Amino acid sequence: LSEMGFLVGEAAATEGLGAAALLPSYHQGAVDSILVMYLRSGHEAVAAVELWAGTKGRFELSLDQSYYVGLERFSRISQYVNFPQGSGLPGQCWQTGMPLIVPDLATAKGFLRSSGAESDGLAVGLGLPIMQRTELQSVFLMLSSAATPIARVHEIWGEDPEQPGGLTRSQGTYGGLIDFTAASQDLTFSIGQPDGLPAQAWTSGQPVLIDGVDAMGEAGVKRLDAAREAGLSFALAWPVVVVDRVRAVVLMMG
């Protein structure tokens, strides 16, 4: 981090942080906020973040930037992979303009590097399309293992076509958190109401970050008791905006 001119690079290194990912949010075609995610290093960790961007006249996505922990073999494979539109996790996010969760990377038919994921112990993949109006800027991937997950809960929320104004969950993975999984069944949120992080991110069009269980309660997290029992200590709701309209919200908790 210090080599990249990060003002807090030395402090981050002292805390065992090896890299940072900066994710922009766009409004009316311009960046109006940036989320900074710090990533730990360490011999026991297994995780990766990747940024896939257009190449060859934007007909394929290639690896633009990446950070790997405990994934030497997987990182070598990734340098030689390109994704046409609709192919693999980056290509699917590109084609739909929507986020996507792959709950089991080792067995997923749509994850082209599944053999490498299985060999290196990767479990869950999350793809986030970074959109500027209707144009894809890049696809950001987070890949983590069951032992050292980047987040323990991954969900995607969207507007219910049968109930306008309501948000329902289209995907969710819970890392073996049985009680939290049960508390998530049939859960809904109301757009425009401060009754949960997905609704807050959808209404504001801005990321919502909560640190600490007490702060979750103040923010109106509906599954507060289940989150406390599971030992969850942070929550991040990230809106996917296309042409200044929120199309989905990604919720991560850990």
Side-chain angles (χ1 to χ4, degrees):
L1 289 173
S2 58
E3 294 177 358
M4 297 176 62
F6 242 68
L7 296 179
V8 295
E10 292 185 6
T14 301
E15 295 296 329
L17 304 176
L22 285 71
L23 302 183
S25 291
Y26 289 91
H27 181 68
Q28 296 183 351
V31 175
D32 66 353
S33 66
I34 296 176
L35 174 70
V36 181
M37 298 176 60
Y38 291 99
L39 307 165
R40 288 193 176 276
S41 58
H43 297 296
E44 73 285 351
V46 176
V49 293
E50 300 175 331
L51 190 68
W52 294 84
T55 184
K56 298 181 180 179
R58 299 193 69 83
F59 292 112
E60 289 184 329
L61 296 177
S62 62
L63 189 62
D64 183 62
Q65 298 179 54
S66 59
Y67 178 71
Y68 301 97
V69 180
L71 293 168
E72 292 185 10
R73 185 187 328 176
F74 190 83
S75 67
R76 289 195 299 269
I77 294 172
S78 303
Q79 304 299 320
Y80 301 100
V81 178
N82 288 333
F83 292 100
Q85 191 173 85
S87 177
L89 180 51
Q92 291 178 64
C93 290
W94 180 16
Q95 183 178 58
T96 63
M98 295 289 284
L100 181 64
I101 298 169
V102 178
D104 189 349
L105 294 173
T107 61
K109 294 181 179 179
F111 192 74
L112 301 185
R113 296 171 288 169
S114 59
S115 60
E118 182 178 18
S119 298
D120 286 335
L122 289 174
V124 178
L126 171 65
L128 294 174
I130 308 300
M131 305 291 295
Q132 185 177 21
R133 293 193 180 275
T134 59
E135 182 180 358
L136 180 84
Q137 298 299 304
S138 58
V139 175
F140 182 71
L141 297 193
M142 287 180 275
L143 312 172
S144 59
S145 68
T148 57
I150 296 174
R152 298 172 68 192
V153 173
H154 303 78
E155 294 178 334
I156 297 175
W157 293 82
E159 190 167 11
D160 188 341
E162 298 181 357
Q163 296 181 338
L167 295 180
T168 56
R169 182 189 49 171
S170 62
Q171 281 191 284
T173 62
Y174 300 95
L177 301 178
I178 297 175
D179 291 341
F180 196 88
T181 303
S184 304
Q185 299 301 315
D186 302 320
L187 186 65
T188 61
F189 297 96
S190 299
I191 297 173
Q193 300 296 322
D195 66 346
L197 301 188
Q200 292 175 34
W202 188 287
T203 302
S204 67
Q206 294 288 319
V208 179
L209 176 62
I210 304 298
D211 183 19
V213 174
D214 291 340
M216 289 185 192
E218 295 172 1
V221 173
K222 283 189 173 181
R223 295 166 285 183
L224 182 61
D225 290 341
R228 182 179 286 109
E229 288 296 323
L232 301 176
S233 60
F234 80 85
L236 169 65
W238 174 267
V240 175
V241 180
V242 181
V243 196
D244 302 328
R245 180 179 179 272
V246 179
R247 295 187 62 198
V249 171
V250 174
L251 179 65
M252 299 172 59
M253 303 179 73

